[in-house]
């Protein structure tokens, strides 16, 4: 059965940006000038660097490798043949490719540099190229306007490809239900041709500082988003109006690098001028060393963060916790506003074990700035029987649920942990493997892969196979140093157990291993039809059958 034309286009474009490092040329992405200033998002793909860290193009697209990654023999052969054609088509593989888009009309553009326009023109005239790469029986007619050549392919998703001597620009746009195909196609042709002649005042790189800064720190993949474009999304529409204002006129950028044993992502949220001062207020303090000391040497997971006391006061001024006041007062004896006044903004929670009985072994510590409010809370919980004072303890130690957990205040910190003994805090320390990030973090999340193993043992996750993930992944760390130079910065670190192998190769090997596993399972398990036993039909004597009248 013939595959859809869109799939052929997607496969061809995917092949283009995966084929890199063939010539070893210096990366000179001057073609970034074709990205329009009104783009809602842009992605820069440094193809040369990606392939230099994994497999060479001919190796990656070999039939052998594709079959090992799960492709059928026919799919592997077809894809490998496509690659051979594309490799010699005039594309500049040792360069950066750009993908950008506009939410309006679901427009997506792809900018691909050319190093030999003559070769590309010959490819466009070759029927075999169209047949093997795009699965078109005949070349689509090519038109020319000024020094630009282009063709259009109409359909539910209209495709227009245009090129000059330097670059190939592909535009894709979906047709609305009531829109006419010819009108949609004509509009897309006009848009793509305009992009190839963009003046500086309409170029994204010239008009948007946050995009320019994102490219200055570019890695293997660089993503930039204008957050105004998120309006209309379901997740955003459900947000409170107070939260939506922080997305207005704000931007987001992220650089992703594949390193040995690690995927590293550096992100930045660039607030609008209107909310910048408030963002700086919320994210201008680091986690205190004392609050981040926990009684476990190697916890499964840890969450810690800090906000300034000025930010806490701002939250109270805005009356953001009004609805929670009654619940807090009933359960803790202090209102939500009073609880915030008691807290100094420092918090840490660590999970050491999920527990054999499903009761997690965990510890919490948080800073206290108002002793009177803390005592008010404790007195209320004592009066309600939620706390019982522990006898013969040093200081005021309180037991929760008959000794299942304890609570006490150590200097200016509330400490709460599972178990009746507060002495576990005597050896409390910052976890070694996470100490470097925590010392300079405003917020921190650390998760070890061993958590998956324990989750798999719980009734709710019965049947979960965590073996492969645990063998592959070491840990996930997400942390932020807070506000700096007009941005709220953050970093995501996904580390693997194989420290000496590039993360791309680790992922490729994982895909191959999963494909091999499925192949073996398919060979070992009989077809469903083979499992069914033939049904034995009872013989019936026609003379014994009672005739039923038909009305």
């Amino acid at each position: 059965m013939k595959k859809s034309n869109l799939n052929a286009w997607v496969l061809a474009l995917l092949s283009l940006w995966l084929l890199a490092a063939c010539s070893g040329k210096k990366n000179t992405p001057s073609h970034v000038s074709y990205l329009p200033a009104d783009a809602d998002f842009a992605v820069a793909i440094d193809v040369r660097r990606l392939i230099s860290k994994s497999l060479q193009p001919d190796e990656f697209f070999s039939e052998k490798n594709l079959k090992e990654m799960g492709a059928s023999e026919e799919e592997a052969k077809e894809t490998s043949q496509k690659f051979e054609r594309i490799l010699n088509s005039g594309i500049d593989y040792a360069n950066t490719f750009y993908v950008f888009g506009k939410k309006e009309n679901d427009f997506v553009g792809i900018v691909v540099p050319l190093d030999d326009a003559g070769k590309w023109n010959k490819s466009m005239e070759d029927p075999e190229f169209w047949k093997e790469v795009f699965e078109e029986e005949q070349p689509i007619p090519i038109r020319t306007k000024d020094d630009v050549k282009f063709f259009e392919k109409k359909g539910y998703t209209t495709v227009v490809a245009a090129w000059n001597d330097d670059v190939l620009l592909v535009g894709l746009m979906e047709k609305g239900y009531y829109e006419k195909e010819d009108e949609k196609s004509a509009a897309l042709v006009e848009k793509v041709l305009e992009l190839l002649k963009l003046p500086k005042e309409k170029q994204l790189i010239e008009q948007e500082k946050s995009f320019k800064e994102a490219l200055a720190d570019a890695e293997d993949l660089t993503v930039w988003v204008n957050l105004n474009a998120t309006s209309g999304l379901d997740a955003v529409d459900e947000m409170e109006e107070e939260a939506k204002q922080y997305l207005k006129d704000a931007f987001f950028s992220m650089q992703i690098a594949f390193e040995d044993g690690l995927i590293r992502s550096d992100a930045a949220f660039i607030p609008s001028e209107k909310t910048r001062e408030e963002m700086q207020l919320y994210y201008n303090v680091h986690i205190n060393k004392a609050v981040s000391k926990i009684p476990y040497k190697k916890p499964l997971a840890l969450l810690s963060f800090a906000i300034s006391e000025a930010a806490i006061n701002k939250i109270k001024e805005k009356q953001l916790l009004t609805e929670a006041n009654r619940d807090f007062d009933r359960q803790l004896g202090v209102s939500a506003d009073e609880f915030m006044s008691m807290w100094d903004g420092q918090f840490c929670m660590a999970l050491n074990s999920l527990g054999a009985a499903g009761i997690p072994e965990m510890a919490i510590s948080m800073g206290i700035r108002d002793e009177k409010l803390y005592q008010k809370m404790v007195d209320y919980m004592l009066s309600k029987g939620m706390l019982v004072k522990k006898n013969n303890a040093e200081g005021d130690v309180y037991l929760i649920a008959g000794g299942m957990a304890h609570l006490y205040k150590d200097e200016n910190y509330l400490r709460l942990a599972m178990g009746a003994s507060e002495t576990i805090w005597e050896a409390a320390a910052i976890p070694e493997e996470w100490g470097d990030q925590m010392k300079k973090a405003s917020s921190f999340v650390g998760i070890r892969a061993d958590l998956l193993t324990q989750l798999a043992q719980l009734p709710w996750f019965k049947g979960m196979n965590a073996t492969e993930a645990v063998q592959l992944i070491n840990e996930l760390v997400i942390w932020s140093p807070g506000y700096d130079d007009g941005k709220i910065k953050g970093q995501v670190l996904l580390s693997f157990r194989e420290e000496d192998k590039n993360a791309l190769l680790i992922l490729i090997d994982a895909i191959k291993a999963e494909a091999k596993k499925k192949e073996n399972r398919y060979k070992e398990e009989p077809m469903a039809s083979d499992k069914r036993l033939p049904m034995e039909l009872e013989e019936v004597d026609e003379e014994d059958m009672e005739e039923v009248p038909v009305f």
Side-chain angles (χ1 to χ4, degrees):
M1 190 168 94
K2 194 178 187 300
K3 297 177 183 176
S4 71
N5 288 323
L6 179 58
N7 286 340
W9 277 99
V10 170
L11 179 59
L13 293 169
L14 177 64
S15 302
L16 292 180
W17 70 260
L18 283 173
L19 304 173
C22 294
S23 64
K25 291 181 184 177
K26 184 180 178 182
N27 184 6
T28 54
S30 59
H31 47 284
V32 70
S33 60
Y34 294 103
L35 276 62
D38 64 350
D40 290 332
F41 75 89
V43 181
I45 307 164
D46 193 328
V47 196
R48 175 184 58 83
R49 287 176 54 163
L50 283 171
I51 297 299
S52 68
K53 292 180 176 183
S54 55
L55 300 176
Q56 292 301 308
D58 53 350
E59 185 181 358
F60 185 88
F61 285 102
S62 67
E63 288 186 45
K64 178 178 179 293
N65 187 64
L66 292 171
K67 283 191 284 187
E68 288 176 351
M69 292 180 70
S72 67
E73 190 166 338
E74 184 180 352
E75 289 171 337
K77 184 177 181 180
E78 287 180 0
T79 304
S80 188
Q81 288 175 344
K82 289 178 193 293
F83 161 73
E84 288 182 16
R85 284 280 184 180
I86 294 170
L87 180 61
N88 297 300
S89 66
I91 300 293
D92 183 2
Y93 306 115
N95 216 315
T96 300
F97 290 19
Y98 295 99
V99 180
F100 64 95
K102 184 81 177 166
K103 189 173 72 171
E104 183 184 359
N105 296 321
D106 293 323
F107 172 79
V108 175
I110 304 168
V111 180
V112 180
L114 299 175
D115 64 1
D116 192 333
K119 274 189 178 182
W120 179 254
N121 285 325
K122 286 182 180 179
S123 297
M124 290 293 95
E125 296 167 0
D126 183 0
E128 290 301 313
F129 185 90
W130 283 89
K131 187 178 291 186
E132 289 189 13
V133 176
F134 300 122
E135 297 179 5
E136 296 286 344
E137 290 301 321
Q138 295 294 330
I140 295 176
I142 295 172
R143 295 150 61 187
T144 302
K145 185 172 182 180
D146 299 329
D147 58 345
V148 175
K149 294 184 178 182
F150 67 96
F151 67 81
E152 57 184 312
K153 180 167 179 56
K154 302 173 184 177
Y156 178 75
T157 298
T158 299
V159 179
V160 172
W163 62 95
N164 53 27
D165 289 340
D166 302 314
V167 72
L168 163 68
L169 202 157
V170 180
L172 300 95
M173 191 182 290
E174 290 189 359
K175 181 178 77 67
Y177 186 79
Y178 295 105
E179 291 180 303
K180 294 181 180 178
E181 191 175 90
D182 289 344
E183 292 179 359
K184 192 75 172 182
S185 183
L188 182 56
V189 168
E190 184 180 356
K191 186 174 186 67
V192 171
L193 294 180
E194 278 181 6
L195 292 173
L196 286 172
K197 296 183 181 296
L198 273 183
K200 277 193 174 184
E201 60 269 20
K202 291 187 177 181
Q203 295 173 12
L204 183 60
I205 189 68
E206 297 291 341
Q207 301 302 316
E208 183 46 57
K209 179 184 175 184
S210 62
F211 177 66
K212 196 169 187 175
E213 290 177 345
L215 290 188
D217 298 324
E219 293 284 359
D220 303 335
L221 300 173
T222 301
V223 179
W224 172 89
V225 181
N226 181 341
L227 294 178
N228 282 323
T230 60
S231 62
L233 299 178
D234 290 341
V236 176
D237 286 345
E238 292 172 6
M239 292 170 62
E240 298 288 339
E241 290 301 320
E242 182 76 22
K244 288 181 184 179
Q245 68 168 329
Y246 298 112
L247 299 179
K248 184 174 175 57
D249 299 328
F251 302 93
F252 172 82
S253 66
M254 178 171 59
Q255 292 83 21
I256 303 171
F258 296 90
E259 301 174 357
D260 287 349
L262 179 73
I263 298 177
R264 173 175 53 82
S265 175
D266 297 293
F269 172 75
I270 303 97
S272 66
E273 291 185 12
K274 183 179 178 181
T275 62
R276 191 167 297 164
E277 186 176 338
E278 190 173 347
M279 290 292 99
Q280 186 174 9
L281 182 69
Y282 280 104
Y283 300 98
N284 67 350
V285 293
H286 287 171
I287 297 168
N288 188 298
K289 184 178 180 180
V291 81
S292 57
K293 288 183 177 181
I294 59 170
Y296 314 127
K297 290 184 177 180
K298 203 169 184 180
L300 292 177
L302 186 144
L303 164 68
S304 188
F305 61 87
I307 62 174
S308 68
E309 293 182 12
I312 294 175
N313 295 335
K314 190 78 172 177
I315 292 172
K316 290 163 53 185
E317 285 175 20
K318 288 190 170 187
Q319 298 184 337
L320 299 179
L321 302 173
T322 303
E323 294 182 6
N325 276 328
R326 183 179 298 177
D327 290 336
F328 267 72
D329 200 33
R330 185 175 64 251
Q331 295 176 21
L332 299 177
V334 292
S335 68
D337 286 333
E338 286 178 319
F339 187 88
M340 296 297 281
S341 296
M342 177 187 79
W343 181 41
D344 73 354
Q346 297 281 338
F347 178 86
C348 185
M349 178 173 66
L351 174 67
N352 193 49
S353 168
L354 293 177
I359 301 173
E361 182 185 359
M362 59 188 295
I364 294 173
S365 63
M366 59 183 291
I368 300 297
R369 60 170 168 159
D370 192 314
E371 175 69 30
K372 289 182 179 180
L373 286 173
Y374 169 76
Q375 198 57 51
K376 179 183 177 182
M377 180 183 74
V378 169
D379 290 344
Y380 175 83
M381 295 179 75
L382 281 168
S383 69
K384 296 295 182 179
M386 290 183 272
L387 296 179
V388 176
K389 191 167 184 179
K390 182 179 179 181
N391 297 323
N392 303 319
E394 291 186 17
D396 292 332
V397 180
Y398 305 94
L399 299 180
I400 304 172
M404 185 180 292
H406 69 265
L407 176 148
Y408 82 110
K409 194 165 82 64
D410 173 19
E411 295 181 352
N412 295 322
Y413 295 92
L414 177 155
R415 313 285 189 183
L416 186 153
M418 302 304 294
S421 177
E422 73 282 4
T423 57
I424 63 171
W425 292 94
E426 292 175 2
I430 300 173
E432 278 185 28
E433 64 267 38
W434 295 333
D436 288 343
Q437 287 100 353
M438 291 186 71
K439 288 175 185 175
K440 48 191 177 183
S442 172
S443 59
F444 178 92
V445 176
I447 302 172
R448 288 174 48 223
D450 292 342
L451 177 60
L452 295 176
T453 305
Q454 294 201 19
L455 279 172
Q457 296 171 1
L458 296 179
W460 307 289
F461 298 94
K462 190 175 181 180
M464 170 184 172
N465 189 354
T467 306
E468 288 84 356
V470 173
Q471 289 176 347
L472 188 70
I473 298 169
N474 181 38
E475 66 180 26
L476 172 67
V477 168
I478 306 171
W479 72 283
S480 168
Y483 185 90
D484 181 39
D485 192 26
K487 305 171 186 175
I488 299 170
K489 298 180 179 179
Q491 188 176 69
V492 180
L493 301 168
L494 178 63
S495 62
F496 298 90
R497 296 193 184 274
E498 289 188 85
E499 297 179 356
D500 299 327
K501 182 184 286 188
N502 189 274
L504 274 174
L505 290 174
I506 292 173
L507 294 176
I508 290 172
D509 287 347
I511 293 170
K512 289 181 180 180
E514 184 61 25
K516 187 68 176 176
K517 192 170 150 188
K518 285 182 179 179
E519 182 185 353
N520 292 337
R521 190 161 57 237
Y522 178 78
K523 289 178 181 177
E524 292 169 4
E525 294 181 0
M527 296 287 288
S529 59
D530 295 337
K531 295 181 181 179
R532 293 197 299 265
L533 295 174
M535 183 182 294
E536 294 185 3
L537 299 177
E538 183 181 354
E539 291 186 6
V540 179
D541 190 337
E542 291 184 12
E543 294 180 0
D544 295 335
M545 293 179 67
E546 182 180 345
E547 187 175 342
V548 180
V550 179
F551 296 97

